[in-house]
Amino acid sequence: MSFRLYDTAAREVRDFVPVEPGKVSIYHCGLTVQSAPHLGHIRKEVVFDVLRRWLTRTGHQVTVIANVTDIDDKILAKSAEAGVPWFAHAYRFERELHQAYAALGCEPPTYEPRATGHIPEMIELVQVLLDKGHAYVAEDGSGDVYFDVRSWPSYGSLSRQRIDDMEPADDADPRGKRDPRDFALWKGHKPEEPVTASWPTPWGRGRPGWHLECSAMAGKYLGSVFDIHGGGLDLRFPHHENELAQSSAAGHEFARYWMHNAWVTAAGEKMSKSLGNGALVSEVTKQYPARAVRFYLAQPHYRSAIEFSSTSLEEATTALQRIDHFVDRAQELVGTVDGTGELPEAFVTAMDDDLATPTAVAEIYGAVRQGNQALESGDTEEVRIQLTAVQAMLDVLGLRAADPVWSAADAADDRLEPVVDGLVRTLLDQREAARGRKDWDTADAIRDSVAALGLTITDTPDGPRWSL
């Protein structure tokens, strides 16, 4: 079965055929670095990281470009409130974004261009649109440049909307527009804004519009046509609709497939800073293991909404612990197994079917169940088979515990583990001594005190084992 992907533009799952055989080019819209990232932001990073891992695993050479929007209305407003330069404000939260996706085991993009580093390409693109009659300079002297949506007959094709049914664009003062739906390509400099947040152009000083930024950067690094353009579902309109219109109007084929992940919701609403319900990645990973947070975000299908709750995170943590418990026991018996082994056919079929991660994760649970049964029956070869499969499947999802991406996050735990193990072993030795002299009350009291700390004791032929 070849890889199939739901194309938002076509509204159907289609066979994926890359522009160049054996190579895949992906552009997904990065964060506007105005504030710290929450789980709603970082879900997109996890989704596209799983996509990248799967395409790489199936033999493709994958190029991923994910931009950083470091100049924007909100960045200017929030930096002014904080009393810091806009570029310092943006850089602070760019670093927090990097920390967040590293914490959740996401590989960095092939390249991560900043909007402010690509002003010449943006000015060039605006000039092309002006020359082709798809853009105009506002006549009110503001220095704004707008895309003329009625000059492009296909405008609205991505979101399946008619122009007359659309709400007016809210990204610039409407006074200079020919049509309220026209969107800003370039925003003229305002006296109250820092001069450093503007650049000279033939039509006056100013800064780029959000939609323009991504078109220019995607074109620079991936060319006139590339494979997949993606982001959160909320970007489909107006951001991606506007990107598609301006890039197509400039003469580019642009993206072959459009991929959008659903939201993380809180009380049924999209998680966002404006709602005040954002669960910051930096805070959530203090309460739950980072791998469990990634598991929580990766397990549901990427097109399904995730409701944020502590219960769901606790369930993800427990499920991952059970998987890890099997892996640890199995590797003690058959030795270390990495993630390069053969994948079960059902797992491959699921991942090739539009990244059907719920079905893929069910295959992991099934392999763990069979592996545990093999451990109980002493079938060493079956243990090896299931362990190999589990490690390979975890590796595809970026969840294999021994993956180097988790090394930094687990460094403190690695230092503490021998200390904790020594203390628990001392208690277990005392319990065994009590059982040897048939002092059942003491043995049970030690077992209960250990259990009260959240540890589970399992008696095996080789002696008692503990797990958290």
Side-chain angles (χ1 to χ4, degrees):
M1 178 180 177
S2 62
F3 181 56
R4 290 169 58 80
L5 182 67
Y6 183 84
D7 180 11
T8 305
R11 297 293 197 277
E12 65 179 7
V13 177
R14 300 200 290 128
D15 287 339
F16 179 72
V17 181
V19 174
E20 187 175 350
K23 297 183 178 181
V24 179
S25 48
I26 301 172
Y27 184 94
H28 61 86
C29 294
L31 193 63
T32 299
V33 284
Q34 55 166 308
S35 54
H38 55 59
L39 291 185
H41 296 131
I42 216 67
R43 183 186 186 187
K44 185 264 297 180
E45 307 296 339
V46 172
V47 164
F48 280 88
D49 189 63
V50 171
L51 173 67
R52 177 187 193 173
R53 288 169 182 267
W54 180 241
L55 291 172
T56 300
R57 181 69 180 232
T58 52
H60 296 86
Q61 179 183 330
V62 184
T63 298
V64 177
I65 304 298
N67 73 292
V68 171
T69 297
D70 61 341
I71 184 71
D72 175 82
D73 293 346
K74 292 180 180 178
I75 291 174
L76 294 181
K78 291 192 174 185
S79 62
E81 290 175 9
V84 298
W86 62 271
F87 48 83
H89 181 91
Y91 185 51
R92 170 193 167 186
F93 291 112
E94 179 184 338
R95 295 199 310 274
E96 290 203 21
L97 171 64
H98 293 161
Q99 291 165 4
Y101 63 62
L104 296 189
C106 297
E107 297 180 9
T110 307
Y111 188 57
E112 193 174 40
R114 291 192 187 118
T116 54
H118 298 79
I119 301 299
E121 291 83 0
M122 297 174 197
I123 294 173
E124 182 180 359
L125 180 54
V126 173
Q127 191 61 60
V128 169
L129 292 169
L130 286 168
D131 293 343
K132 287 179 174 287
H134 295 298
Y136 59 93
V137 179
E139 297 179 357
D140 61 359
S142 62
D144 294 342
V145 182
Y146 295 104
F147 183 86
D148 183 353
V149 297
R150 293 193 182 275
S151 76
W152 189 245
S154 297
Y155 187 72
S157 61
L158 181 62
S159 56
R160 302 285 180 91
Q161 297 185 81
R162 295 173 59 251
I163 292 178
D164 292 334
D165 296 332
M166 296 177 183
E167 293 292 326
D170 61 359
D171 59 354
D173 192 321
R175 289 176 298 177
K177 295 183 180 182
R178 296 175 182 172
D179 186 289
R181 269 71 51 134
D182 292 348
F183 59 88
L185 296 169
W186 193 262
K187 298 185 177 185
H189 176 66
K190 299 178 178 61
E192 66 272 17
E193 294 177 350
V195 175
T196 54
S198 67
W199 290 262
T201 73
W203 47 88
R205 290 194 70 88
R207 56 187 171 86
W210 175 33
H211 318 302
L212 178 75
E213 296 172 352
C214 287
S215 283
M217 288 183 281
K220 180 176 179 66
Y221 296 104
L222 298 179
S224 183
V225 56
F226 56 95
D227 293 310
I228 299 172
H229 194 323
L233 185 61
D234 52 322
L235 298 184
R236 183 177 60 185
F237 184 85
H239 184 48
H240 288 167
E241 187 74 73
N242 292 351
E243 275 190 74
L244 176 59
Q246 64 200 10
S247 296
S248 300
H252 304 297
E253 184 177 339
F254 210 50
R256 289 276 186 89
Y257 299 80
W258 291 85
M259 179 179 175
H260 295 94
N261 62 273
W263 299 332
V264 176
T265 59
E269 296 186 76
K270 173 195 168 189
M271 182 173 287
S272 68
K273 287 288 184 290
S274 60
L275 289 176
N277 58 8
L280 299 183
V281 176
S282 58
E283 294 301 318
V284 175
T285 51
K286 291 177 183 176
Q287 302 173 53
Y288 303 95
R291 280 176 64 235
V293 177
R294 180 185 174 98
F295 188 41
Y296 159 77
L297 294 173
Q299 180 174 0
H301 194 277
Y302 75 90
R303 288 191 283 119
S304 299
I306 302 176
E307 177 67 15
F308 174 72
S309 72
S310 58
T311 301
S312 297
L313 282 161
E314 288 164 3
E315 290 172 349
T317 302
T318 301
L320 198 57
Q321 287 173 344
R322 289 171 179 161
I323 295 170
D324 289 345
H325 185 53
F326 161 70
V327 170
D328 291 342
R329 291 178 64 202
Q331 291 195 142
E332 284 184 4
L333 179 65
V334 303
T336 300
V337 172
D338 62 21
T340 61
E342 186 175 352
L343 291 162
E345 183 178 346
F347 181 90
V348 173
T349 299
M351 293 299 288
D352 272 342
D353 185 17
D354 192 32
L355 295 183
T357 49
T359 305
V361 170
E363 289 301 314
I364 297 176
Y365 291 150
V368 168
R369 184 166 55 252
Q370 293 181 53
N372 281 326
Q373 291 170 354
L375 282 168
E376 294 303 319
S377 67
D379 188 342
T380 303
E381 184 56 30
E382 182 65 16
V383 171
R384 187 187 310 278
I385 290 171
Q386 298 305 328
L387 173 62
T388 299
V390 168
Q391 289 287 65
M393 291 186 284
L394 290 174
D395 192 66
V396 167
L397 299 178
L399 291 168
R400 188 168 56 87
D403 192 311
V405 300
W406 302 111
S407 299
D410 292 339
D413 290 343
D414 290 343
R415 292 193 299 270
L416 285 173
E417 186 173 349
V419 177
V420 175
D421 184 67
L423 293 172
V424 176
R425 291 288 170 193
T426 299
L427 288 172
L428 296 183
D429 289 345
Q430 293 173 3
R431 176 173 175 260
E432 288 300 293
R435 294 177 69 183
R437 62 177 183 268
K438 298 185 178 181
D439 183 357
W440 308 119
D441 289 341
T442 299
D444 290 346
I446 293 173
R447 179 199 62 201
D448 294 343
S449 65
V450 171
L453 295 173
L455 304 179
T456 298
I457 305 302
T458 305
D459 291 313
T460 73
D462 298 324
R465 294 171 47 87
W466 70 271
S467 59
L468 183 64

